[in-house]
Amino acid sequence: MVDWDALRQAATEVAQRAYAPYSGFRVGAAGLDQDGRLVVGCNVENAGYGVTLCAECGMISQLYATGGTRLTHAVCVNGGGDVIMPCGRCRQLLYEAGGADLELMTPEGVKRMDEVLPLAFGPDDLA
């Protein structure tokens, strides 16, 4: 059983450490690896807007940097703790890190990644 409230709280806490001097829009992401470990990330803006890092990027980097293998659950929030949807790029990153079975908390409730990103292109397409 996943404690979605705790996962959301972790995302809210890390959002407070986001570097968002240009937009002021803080984002936090929290996820669980298949071994139950918590991984988090926050957005990091850049004066060259196109090289800004989304919170999900940081979370997935932490997943792999700490020896993780697969995300099973994830949530993204704004600085106020409201659940938000990942951008298209991050949906693709989440699909890669967790596959179709990854459960994502959305503003409409928990959804599998194959619902959030139907007909996704993934590693199996390169086999």
Side-chain angles (χ1 to χ4, degrees):
M1 203 55 198
V2 173
D3 186 346
W4 286 103
D5 290 333
L7 203 56
R8 185 174 174 180
Q9 182 59 37
T12 301
E13 288 172 10
V14 76
Q16 299 313 306
R17 295 192 293 272
Y19 178 71
Y22 306 107
S23 72
F25 190 74
R26 297 174 181 277
V27 178
L32 295 176
D33 183 22
Q34 64 186 5
D35 66 6
R37 264 182 327 104
L38 174 70
V39 290
V40 297
C42 60
N43 59 321
V44 178
E45 293 182 347
N46 188 286
Y49 293 121
V51 292
T52 291
L53 299 175
C54 296
E56 298 88 340
C57 294
M59 175 184 66
I60 292 167
S61 289
Q62 186 183 49
L63 170 74
Y64 293 120
T66 60
T69 56
R70 194 129 180 107
L71 280 179
T72 59
H73 301 84
V75 62
C76 302
V77 301
N78 64 20
D82 300 315
V83 175
I84 58 174
M85 285 301 292
C87 69
R89 172 179 173 243
C90 288
R91 292 178 197 197
Q92 181 67 36
L93 291 169
L94 288 167
Y95 187 89
E96 180 83 13
D101 296 334
L102 171 71
E103 293 185 6
L104 179 69
M105 168 79 60
T106 77
E108 297 179 353
V110 177
K111 296 185 182 276
R112 286 171 35 110
M113 278 308 296
D114 58 1
E115 294 176 82
V116 173
L117 191 63
L119 301 173
F121 181 85
D124 293 338
D125 295 301
L126 298 176

